[in-house]
Amino acid sequence: MDAASMHSSTDDAISAFTAPARGDLCHCFCPGSRVLRRGGEPCDVEDVRRGDELESLSVRGAVVREVRQLPRREHDIMAITYAAVHQPSSSGTHLSVTASHAVAACRPSTRSFDRYRAGDIEEGDLLRTWLAPAKALHVQPVTMTTHVIEIELEDTFASFFAAGSQPANQPAPNNERGDTSLDAFVEVYGALAPVAEPSRGCIKLLRWRRYDKFREAFLESPDLAACRAALESCGFTSDLSESRNVWEERLGFGKMFCRPDQARAVLHEVGRWRHYYNRPLLNSDIIVSLEYELLVKALVRQFAPRPQKEPEEIVLSIADAQDDLAELFPRASAP
């Protein structure tokens, strides 16, 4: 089914809620959200279990690998209101996801849909619902205190469809969970899904002045558990304290959070940076790909016993390393 080419019968606008900045948690839904099981049956996100098959446009389908409930805390929620392109309106259903959550979207300057962080969706972007494309009309922040649910799929490139709950400070228009008809469901992705990169092959080295509770935030908290497990399953680790570069120099005490297909190139480039500048990574240094940047910054704010200034950001390019290593290590490359 080509959802982008189908027509919609909905008269209601639909709102998607995303969490940037302070409360950003990776690829998560707020309670009350719903997803479509295979066959088009709506299901509460809290009732999704390992092994469930979700409705998907992906050839290989969307089978749930893991479901995680992350801790209750305050989140900044970004409301993105959207409506069918041929029937704009001002009310409707809501999807609650975090800023790092990958959503299928199409920029006005492009002709195809790609994976974008929900926090990067802009007014005028097209989103893909189950029945028709819709246009993002309005963006508004909302603050909520809640736990969130993360769904990881067997195929990280697979998509599925979700509709959401009404924020606590706004009344639901139709029922307590809002409208969950098929034309209210928007195409999203699960945990670990890669997103479109503004600049190909760029990562960031974030350098804070202090490292208060960094071990608890990055190596022990459940928020990055999926990323840590994915790296470990491919022979990598988030803790770089034992890693060395090709010159047999220790990289230092930094941490790394990126996709597994990027990890080898990231280590190669960080090793070069460490050698040429003779600067080993400090405990306060965190290397991130685009998918994890907002989450890492949010965790620093949440765990720090006292406020920290924004980190120094050093942009490192791994594009050349990815191309070179792809020839030597084909499995390191994303499908």
Side-chain angles (χ1 to χ4, degrees), residues 40-52:
E41 176 191 359
C43 168
D44 290 351
V45 70
E46 293 94 334
D47 294 333
V48 176
R49 297 291 182 267
R50 181 187 301 179
D52 285 355

Side-chain angles (χ1 to χ4, degrees), residues 166-189:
Q166 189 76 14
N169 62 341
Q170 298 182 20
N174 301 318
N175 52 60
E176 64 178 4
R177 290 190 181 275
D179 177 22
T180 52
S181 56
L182 292 183
D183 52 18
F185 286 80
V186 66
E187 187 179 16
V188 299
Y189 297 82

Side-chain angles (χ1 to χ4, degrees), residues 78-93:
M78 187 68 71
I80 304 174
T81 302
Y82 65 95
V85 292
H86 62 286
Q87 292 182 332
S89 186
S90 59
S91 63
T93 309

